[in-house]
Amino acid sequence: LEFRRVLFRSLTGETGAGKSILMGSVNLALGQKMSREMLRDEEKPALVELIFQVDNPRCVERLKEKEISVEEGQIIISRKLTGNRSISRLNGEVCTAAQIREISSLLLDIHGQHEHQSLLYQDQQLIILDAYGKEEIREKKQEVRERFQIWSQKKKELTSYQLDEETRKREISFLEFELQEIEEAGLRPGEDEELEKQYKKMSSGRNILEAMAAVKGYTGNDNGAQDLVGRAVQETNRMLGVDESLQQIASLLQDVESLLSDVNREVSDYVESMTFSEEEFYETEQRLNLLNRMKAKYGSTVEEILACQEEKQKDLDRLYHFEQYKEKLEKEMQKAETELASVCEELSELRKVYGKQLEGRIIQGLQDLNFLDVKFEIDFETTEHYTANGNDKICFTISTNPGEPLRPLAKVVSGGELSRIMLAIKTILADKDETETLIFDEIDTGISGRTAQKVSEKMAVIGRNHQVICITHLPQIAAMADEHFEIAKKTDHQITRTQIRLLNEEDSALEIARILGGAQITEHTMESAKEMKELARKKKEEI
């Protein structure tokens, strides 16, 4: 199934025709869990592949930041499923489901049938606000996270720094013992490696000496190679008077004799350097044993032990000056909390600025979706505790009828109204983020008539700059789409398949008539369907 251009596309079909297969396939490719029942034949693998044409420069830049290359303007996400196993690939390279989810969030936005329910949760409402003011708010949130980490660390240190006098003395005594043990060891960086080499050489000394003695015998003057080569040199030199062409051979033999002499000298020097006493071997062994005991207690290398010594000395100094250090910690925590409070306030003010902007845009979006006299506000509260996300708690409030007070969404709106609010928000965020593809999966539940017409017009507007795919059961939306696809089940009495096909004008009108009239398609319903498509065409020209 190919959707190539930036357009508004609708997909319709009979109940049970398999409209959910499209969304199921997309979600499978994006890493959603699957059940075995989804595979027609468990012995054969299934492959789901999504190909994105990425034209948005900002999206390309964000992908590069995540070290994802856009090859020939495309991103290919695929997932192969066999039994309980699956392998995901990104541009042909194996990747994790988490990586797929992160990348896909830049490429498309999926709004499912029940996703609008998340609007009732205040945490989700804050996520929406932060997404609206994304660039500036993201930078300030990062600053809040950093300050929160510093404050949390200081608070943790202070909380753990509560000791009675007896415990403090006991810890001082133990640290003094450990520091004295490290100090008396007299450690030197790199000493352990040097000693290990020396010990290995000493422990293998007898074998080495025997081998070198053999080498010296083989290459020496006492019937060794050097003796034999010397004789060859003499014989060759004696024949030079007879045949001068032997000069090259004589020179080579003299070089060999010289090299053997060098080898013997090097072997002799090495053997002399190998001389050591049993006492020296014992001292080396004992020193290594000491270092290994220290490593078992304080670190895997001498450098780590010395670093541990520094940390323990700091701990001891803090215990020596317990009250002074506790006072210092309290001041540092207070300073960290003051700085955190300041950046949280800055974040809150920034959110309020964008909150006012978002209020106006949501009101405009809702009016476009047939909320004729709507009021919408974002209420702010300050939480008692700091978090890495600041200390704001917000609540979307709405009044959909004249004279009614503003109330939280959860206490006012119906499912159909909630769907329209989410559509308005998705539209705003899509324009803000320039998300290239938006998929709406039967979000039009609970709406009809004039409201359905407004929803279709809103999707047509979005489709001017984005690829919009809408699975729908409303004729108004199907008629407004730039392209209309039918999803249908086909069977040959042996196997059933779900097919998706692009409808021409006549077939699109026939499908809309089916939606309008049900099983009985009359001449009147066909005329209504054609009229609906014509009105939609004129409306799109006005948009």
Side-chain angles (χ1 to χ4, degrees):
L1 181 62
E2 295 186 47
F3 298 136
R4 290 191 175 277
R5 301 183 303 280
V6 175
L7 288 172
F8 169 30
R9 299 174 172 88
S10 66
L11 292 93
T12 61
E14 294 274 9
T15 301
K19 295 190 291 296
S20 60
I21 287 179
L22 177 64
M23 290 307 304
S25 300
V26 171
N27 286 322
L28 269 182
L30 300 182
Q32 188 180 78
K33 290 183 178 180
M34 67 152 196
S35 63
R36 287 187 176 184
E37 288 72 22
M38 293 187 69
L39 297 178
R40 192 186 297 271
D41 185 345
E42 291 186 20
E43 300 301 319
K44 296 180 180 179
L47 177 67
V48 187
E49 190 170 72
L50 301 180
I51 302 176
F52 296 89
Q53 188 69 35
V54 185
D55 300 319
N56 185 343
R58 286 181 61 191
C59 186
V60 172
E61 188 61 33
R62 292 285 303 280
L63 289 167
K64 285 182 179 178
E65 290 173 5
K66 299 181 183 298
E67 300 182 349
I68 301 297
S69 60
V70 180
E71 300 174 2
E72 298 181 357
Q74 289 187 339
I75 292 288
I76 302 175
I77 296 174
S78 64
R79 189 178 180 198
K80 190 174 184 179
L81 309 112
T82 308
N84 289 328
R85 296 182 65 252
S86 69
I87 299 176
S88 295
R89 296 181 186 273
L90 183 61
N91 284 347
E93 296 184 5
V94 175
C95 60
T96 65
Q99 289 174 308
I100 293 293
R101 284 193 294 270
E102 187 177 8
I103 296 304
S104 64
S105 65
L106 301 174
L107 302 171
L108 81 165
D109 190 0
I110 301 175
H111 182 41
Q113 297 180 48
H114 307 294
E115 187 188 343
H116 53 268
Q117 297 293 331
S118 64
L119 267 179
L120 302 178
Y121 301 106
Q122 291 180 316
D123 289 347
Q124 180 64 25
Q125 293 172 4
L126 188 60
I127 289 172
I128 290 169
L129 173 57
D130 287 352
Y132 178 73
K134 196 168 188 177
E135 298 303 326
E136 286 190 67
I137 288 179
R138 181 168 57 189
E139 291 180 11
K140 188 58 66 175
K141 281 173 70 175
Q142 179 60 32
E143 191 176 346
V144 167
R145 275 192 293 271
E146 291 169 359
R147 295 295 179 185
F148 178 77
Q149 289 173 355
I150 295 172
W151 173 74
S152 297
Q153 183 60 35
K154 293 298 178 184
K155 185 178 180 181
K156 183 179 177 181
E157 285 183 42
L158 188 59
T159 301
S160 64
Y161 206 69
Q162 306 294 331
L163 301 174
D164 56 43
E165 188 63 19
E166 183 178 343
T167 304
R168 185 171 74 91
K169 287 180 179 179
R170 188 164 57 249
E171 291 199 11
I172 286 174
S173 176
F174 185 64
L175 282 170
E176 286 175 337
F177 167 77
E178 290 185 314
L179 286 166
Q180 183 179 357
E181 185 177 36
I182 297 173
E183 185 68 32
E184 289 177 351
L187 303 176
R188 179 171 51 83
E191 178 186 9
D192 50 344
E193 295 178 1
E194 293 175 12
L195 283 173
E196 284 170 3
K197 290 178 183 177
Q198 187 176 342
Y199 179 78
K200 186 177 181 181
K201 184 177 177 180
M202 287 179 173
S203 61
S204 303
R206 180 175 296 176
N207 293 334
I208 294 173
L209 287 174
E210 288 177 357
M212 289 302 98
V215 170
K216 190 173 183 182
Y218 296 146
T219 61
N221 279 317
D222 189 9
N223 290 323
Q226 189 176 356
D227 187 17
L228 296 172
V229 172
R231 294 176 192 175
V233 169
Q234 290 175 3
E235 290 296 324
T236 306
N237 287 338
R238 190 165 63 83
M239 292 296 106
L240 279 175
V242 179
D243 187 355
E244 291 183 357
S245 65
L246 293 171
Q247 183 61 56
Q248 178 68 21
I249 295 174
S251 296
L252 289 171
L253 285 169
Q254 286 170 359
D255 289 343
V256 172
E257 185 181 30
S258 177
L259 283 171
L260 286 169
S261 178
D262 291 343
V263 168
N264 266 273
R265 187 166 51 253
E266 290 290 330
V267 170
S268 296
D269 291 344
Y270 181 83
V271 170
E272 287 181 13
S273 71
M274 281 288 292
T275 305
F276 56 86
S277 65
E278 288 294 328
E279 183 180 355
E280 185 181 357
F281 179 76
Y282 176 75
E283 288 175 355
T284 302
E285 187 176 43
Q286 290 301 106
R287 181 65 177 170
L288 268 178
N289 288 339
L290 172 64
L291 290 181
N292 288 331
R293 286 197 301 272
M294 300 294 285
K295 286 180 181 180
K297 294 176 69 174
Y298 304 114
S300 58
T301 64
V302 170
E303 287 75 12
E304 288 184 14
I305 295 172
L306 294 174
C308 179
Q309 182 184 21
E310 289 183 17
E311 289 301 315
K312 288 184 179 297
Q313 187 61 56
K314 291 177 183 177
D315 291 341
L316 184 60
D317 291 340
R318 284 195 287 266
L319 289 172
Y320 280 152
H321 308 92
F322 182 79
E323 291 302 328
Q324 296 94 317
Y325 187 74
K326 183 178 179 181
E327 184 178 344
K328 176 175 173 285
L329 265 182
E330 288 172 343
K331 289 180 179 178
E332 288 176 353
M333 194 196 80
Q334 187 59 49
K335 179 186 176 185
E337 186 170 346
T338 301
E339 291 173 348
L340 174 61
S342 176
V343 292
C344 282
E345 186 176 351
E346 291 171 7
L347 175 60
S348 183
E349 290 302 314
L350 195 57
R351 281 169 168 162
K352 287 173 182 175
V353 170
Y354 279 102
K356 280 295 176 186
Q357 294 179 20
L358 185 58
E359 286 175 359
R361 298 224 26 206
I362 288 177
I363 289 172
Q364 181 60 54
L366 293 177
Q367 289 173 345
D368 292 344
L369 293 171
N370 213 32
F371 283 91
L372 300 179
D373 196 350
V374 66
K375 294 179 182 178
F376 182 89
E377 289 184 8
I378 302 175
D379 288 345
F380 278 80
E381 292 182 26
T382 301
T383 60
E384 295 181 3
H385 306 290
Y386 294 109
T387 71
N389 199 31
N391 60 342
D392 286 320
K393 182 179 180 181
I394 71 168
C395 179
F396 286 179
T397 62
I398 193 169
S399 169
T400 57
N401 296 307
E404 289 185 356
L406 288 160
R407 293 178 182 172
L409 287 182
K411 297 182 178 179
V412 179
V413 295
S414 63
E417 289 173 326
L418 206 54
S419 293
R420 282 185 283 161
I421 295 170
M422 180 60 95
L423 176 60
I425 291 171
K426 289 283 186 180
T427 305
I428 294 165
L429 295 183
D431 290 340
K432 194 81 175 174
D433 284 348
E434 299 182 356
T435 305
E436 293 193 344
T437 299
L438 292 90
I439 301 178
F440 297 97
D441 181 18
E442 296 189 1
I443 68 158
D444 43 32
T445 302
I447 61 175
S448 59
R450 178 64 181 156
T451 301
Q453 180 62 29
K454 288 289 186 179
V455 169
S456 69
E457 292 171 11
K458 174 63 71 174
M459 288 188 176
V461 171
I462 304 172
R464 297 292 186 185
N465 300 302
H466 305 275
Q467 178 171 225
V468 177
I469 301 170
C470 181
I471 300 172
T472 183
H473 63 273
L474 291 179
Q476 293 92 334
I477 292 177
M480 188 66 70
D482 299 310
E483 290 183 346
H484 183 184
F485 289 79
E486 178 196 29
I487 303 176
K489 276 186 179 178
K490 303 291 183 182
T491 181
D492 58 4
H493 303 293
Q494 291 184 344
I495 192 169
T496 301
R497 300 181 185 277
T498 294
Q499 296 181 345
I500 302 176
R501 68 184 182 102
L502 177 62
L503 302 178
N504 57 29
E505 279 294 307
E506 187 65 28
D507 287 341
S508 176
L510 187 63
E511 173 66 3
I512 291 171
R514 180 196 64 77
I515 299 172
L516 286 168
Q520 189 72 26
I521 300 177
T522 65
E523 186 177 335
H524 176 70
T525 54
M526 275 297 296
E527 288 299 320
S528 296
K530 290 177 180 179
E531 183 181 10
M532 186 174 284
K533 285 185 67 67
E534 179 61 23
L535 290 173
R537 184 186 62 77
K538 291 180 180 179
K539 188 64 182 180
K540 282 191 289 186
E541 291 175 355
E542 298 172 4
I543 294 175

